[in-house]
């Protein structure tokens, strides 16, 4: 029987969803998610999962959500560590002038991508926000951008304009309906952000052969990227486990 002390609970708390997983050394034994708006239900969800002794979290959604994470972990008797970005960790060097200002989710994703994939790469998390981070083969994070994700782009048009209502559309290179124009525009904007970062990295002498793509909108944009793409599910959770297992 595996001791509960070997179970690690990882929590990726974002603006839209809280993703969580229970990990052993060999991989995940449970994973799930719930809307951030239902953070008060987290303890109930975790009660049904294999019991961990320790938890590690990334939280980019503010102090109120962190308080909910702490309450949930207290309720199930789990000690919680909330990470922040470091200057260097697990072979990744943080190029930010103030390392702790880099989002902890981006930091965990960089660590996971560096461990999982060799060579220069773009680490892309397509969620509520779309982050595109440049990571060299030797683990140097040399910069990145943040733009709205495709879903947030569509929602902003719905909220910010009188004549454009949010309806489902399909992707076309030359859309001929408004719903298709909105959907296609959001996807093209996301793809363009990744492509521009690819060009910037190539211009700096580190052409990335690979895009490591994660997040809820990954499947939406992956088919339209003119680059080699690997979809890496739960990149942030994987990075959290690597940090949590660090000796």
């Amino acid at each position: 029987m595996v001791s509960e002390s070997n179970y690690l609970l990882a929590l990726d708390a974002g603006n839209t969803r809280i993703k969580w997983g229970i990990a052993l050394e060999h991989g995940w034994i449970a994973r799930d998610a719930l809307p951030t708006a239902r953070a008060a239900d987290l303890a109930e969800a975790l009660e049904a999962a294999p019991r961990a002794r320790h938890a590690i979290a990334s939280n980019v959604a503010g102090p109120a959500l962190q308080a909910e994470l702490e309450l949930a972990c207290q309720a199930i008797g789990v000690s919680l560590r909330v990470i922040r970005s470091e200057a260097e960790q697990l072979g990744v060097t943080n190029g930010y002038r103030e390392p702790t200002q880099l989002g902890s989710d981006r930091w965990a994703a960089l660590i996971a991508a560096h461990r999982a994939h060799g060579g220069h790469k773009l680490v892309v998390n397509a969620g509520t926000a779309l982050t595109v981070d440049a990571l060299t083969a030797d683990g140097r994070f040399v910069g990145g951008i943040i733009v709205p994700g495709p879903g947030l782009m569509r929602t902003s048009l719905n909220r910010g304009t009188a004549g454009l209502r949010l309806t489902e559309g399909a992707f076309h290179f030359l859309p001929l309906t408004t719903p298709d124009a909105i959907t296609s525009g959001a996807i093209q904007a996301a793809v363009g952000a990744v492509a521009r970062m690819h060009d910037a990295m190539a211009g700096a002498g580190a052409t990335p052969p690979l895009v490591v793509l994660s997040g809820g909108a990954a499947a939406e944009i992956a088919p339209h990227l003119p680059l080699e793409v690997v979809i890496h599910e739960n990149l942030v959770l994987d990075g959290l486990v690597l940090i949590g297992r660090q000796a």
Side-chain angles (χ1 to χ4, degrees):
M1 179 179 293
V2 179
S3 168
E4 290 179 354
S5 63
N6 292 323
Y7 294 171
L8 179 64
L9 168 62
L11 296 153
D12 173 16
N15 293 294
T16 303
R17 291 194 301 163
I18 303 170
K19 292 182 279 187
W20 61 267
I22 307 290
L24 278 172
E25 287 83 354
H26 59 76
W28 298 102
I29 58 173
R31 283 185 300 189
D32 208 343
L34 76 165
T36 299
R38 290 180 46 213
D41 298 333
L42 180 60
E44 182 179 354
L46 295 176
E47 280 284 1
R51 185 56 53 89
R53 292 285 179 85
H54 306 284
I56 185 165
S58 162
N59 171 39
V60 297
L65 183 55
Q66 183 157 322
E68 293 284 3
L69 299 180
E70 291 168 352
L71 286 172
C73 287
Q74 289 172 10
I76 61 171
V78 175
S79 63
L80 174 65
R81 171 190 173 192
V82 180
I83 72 160
R84 64 177 188 173
S85 300
E86 306 283 350
E88 192 280 332
Q89 193 171 32
L90 289 170
V92 178
T93 302
N94 189 340
Y96 258 30
R97 293 186 182 92
E98 295 291 338
T100 57
Q101 291 184 359
L102 179 67
S104 58
D105 55 343
R106 295 168 67 191
W107 182 241
L110 287 164
I111 286 172
H114 181 62
R115 177 67 60 90
H117 306 282
H120 304 315
K121 61 193 73 72
L122 288 173
V123 183
V124 180
N125 192 11
T128 304
L130 177 79
T131 60
V132 188
D133 292 325
L135 185 65
T136 64
D138 60 357
R140 289 179 295 117
F141 163 58
V142 293
I145 62 172
I146 306 171
V147 297
L152 184 56
M153 292 185 206
R154 293 191 289 264
T155 300
S156 68
L157 283 173
N158 183 58
R159 292 176 177 172
T161 61
L164 299 178
R165 297 272 68 85
L166 185 60
T167 55
E168 291 297 324
F171 179 87
H172 297 283
F173 284 107
L174 296 170
L176 291 173
T177 70
T178 298
D180 291 352
I182 293 172
T183 295
S184 302
I187 292 172
Q188 290 282 48
V191 168
V194 177
R196 291 284 288 176
M197 280 295 291
H198 179 276
D199 292 346
M201 202 172 177
T207 301
L210 186 66
V211 175
V212 183
L213 181 60
S214 189
E220 186 176 19
I221 69 172
H224 310 290
L225 284 168
L227 304 163
E228 182 181 354
V229 176
V230 172
I231 293 182
H232 190 132
E233 190 178 3
N234 295 309
L235 196 61
V236 175
L237 289 181
D238 288 348
L240 286 170
V241 170
L242 289 171
I243 294 168
R245 299 288 190 206
Q246 184 180 21

